[in-house]
Every structure is written in structure tokens, then in C-alpha cells.
Amino acid sequence: MARRGTEFFPDLGAQCDDVGCNQLDFLPFECDGCGGFFCAAHRTYLDHGCAKAADQGRTVVVCPDCGDAIERAAPGQDEREILDEHVRSRRCDPARKRKPTCPARRCKEVLMFCNTTQCKGCGLKVCLRHRFPADHDCTAAAPARRASGSQCGRGAQKKESGRRPLAVSIRSFKIC
């Protein structure tokens, strides 16, 4: 029996080199340590027990206070020791982790480059959901809104005499 592929397609895929698996995989993973071909279940160094792995993988510990990623010097090093050493080194700054949020009331959206806009009226940086002055209680637009809103509301009621105004397209629609 051929080690690679099927009877009709000998160059297609490979069988897993793991001792207990031998599964035919059409998209096998090649190990850069031992050069063997493995299925998805045995593709990592630990899963197939690779003894010739050049690098057993770099692991990091993420600081919960500042969000820094600290690389482990030794594979068996304890996470608590790494974090204690990081705090003692005075590189841990909790202020860096806090990201700006939208100042609109009850909004907890984190402001990033792609979802932030600056209000032209008050200059606040807000999320896209609160980009209109009425949505974030804009201080610059509030007096203008009150003045124009009261005028507009009274004028519309007098013209239509209590009826709701129709859209322009509906008014010009003719029934034959």
C-alpha cells in the first residue's frame, strides 16, 4: 500500500505519521522539526511528540493590570513568578490598559480609530452610534435645537391644522 494518496490519485494528500493514527488527510501538515506529515489532530509538537522540534513554542503571560505580554524564559516557569517580577521591574503601568470609552450616557463602547468620530459642535470624540448631536447631548447644538424645534413645531401645526403632513411624493400621486 502506498504511503501517500489513494490508488487513483497517488500524489493527493498523505497519511498521518503518528503511530496510532495513520489517517489519510488530503491537506496534511508538515512538521518543521521532524519533517513528518500529520493530520489536524496531530499537527503540533506536543500532539505527535516531536523530539526534533527546533523550538518547542514560545509562550507568554499577559499581565492583568497593564496588558503587557511577558515571554517565559523557561518552559516550566510559574506564571505568578513572572507577574511578580514584571511588577517589581516597574514596567507595569495600569494606566496604559484603560482605553477611552464613548462619553455618551450609558454607552460603554471602546473608542478606536475605526469607530470614532469627533462632533463638530462640541468637539467630543464619540462612537458612531452617538455621532449626531441629539444622540450625545451636544452642548453646542442644544440652544439651537431648542429654538428651531419650538418654531418648527408650531409652524407645522398651524399650516396643516392638526393633520399630519403628507410626503411630497404622496401629494403628487394621482389615481386614474
Side-chain angles (χ1 to χ4, degrees):
M1 181 169 101
R3 189 185 107 45
R4 296 180 62 98
T6 63
E7 184 179 344
F8 296 111
F9 300 102
D11 296 330
L12 182 65
Q15 289 178 323
C16 182
D17 285 337
D18 191 61
V19 178
C21 184
N22 206 26
Q23 176 184 356
L24 177 63
D25 196 342
F26 294 107
L27 295 171
F29 295 91
E30 184 176 6
C31 177
D32 59 352
C34 62
F37 291 93
F38 298 97
C39 63
H42 300 108
R43 72 174 185 250
T44 63
Y45 298 132
L46 294 174
D47 288 338
H48 70 269
C50 185
K52 298 180 183 178
D55 181 15
Q56 291 294 327
R58 295 168 53 181
T59 58
V60 295
V61 176
V62 178
C63 178
D65 297 331
C66 67
D68 272 356
I70 306 114
E71 186 174 358
R72 290 180 195 248
Q77 196 174 9
D78 186 38
E79 185 175 324
R80 191 74 246 158
E81 292 173 13
I82 295 170
L83 291 174
D84 289 341
E85 184 180 332
H86 172 67
V87 170
R88 277 183 267 139
S89 70
R90 296 186 180 174
R91 287 180 294 193
C92 187
D93 184 15
R96 285 189 311 179
K97 188 173 182 179
R98 287 188 221 116
K99 295 187 170 55
T101 57
C102 180
R105 196 168 52 133
R106 293 193 201 125
C107 184
K108 295 178 183 172
E109 182 84 23
V110 175
L111 297 178
M112 292 180 277
F113 175 74
C114 59
N115 72 342
T116 304
T117 185
Q118 188 169 4
C119 177
K120 292 179 182 175
C122 61
L124 276 177
K125 288 189 176 185
V126 294
C127 68
L128 293 177
R129 188 178 304 140
H130 299 107
R131 67 185 177 270
F132 299 115
D135 293 336
H136 68 269
D137 295 330
C138 182
T139 56
R145 200 174 354 138
R146 279 188 223 121
S148 66
S150 61
Q151 296 284 337
C152 182
R154 288 187 210 140
Q157 288 175 354
K158 288 179 184 176
K159 286 182 185 175
E160 296 295 328
S161 67
R163 291 184 289 152
R164 291 178 48 163
L166 295 174
V168 175
S169 60
I170 295 175
R171 278 189 238 148
S172 61
F173 183 69
K174 294 182 182 179
I175 300 175
C176 299

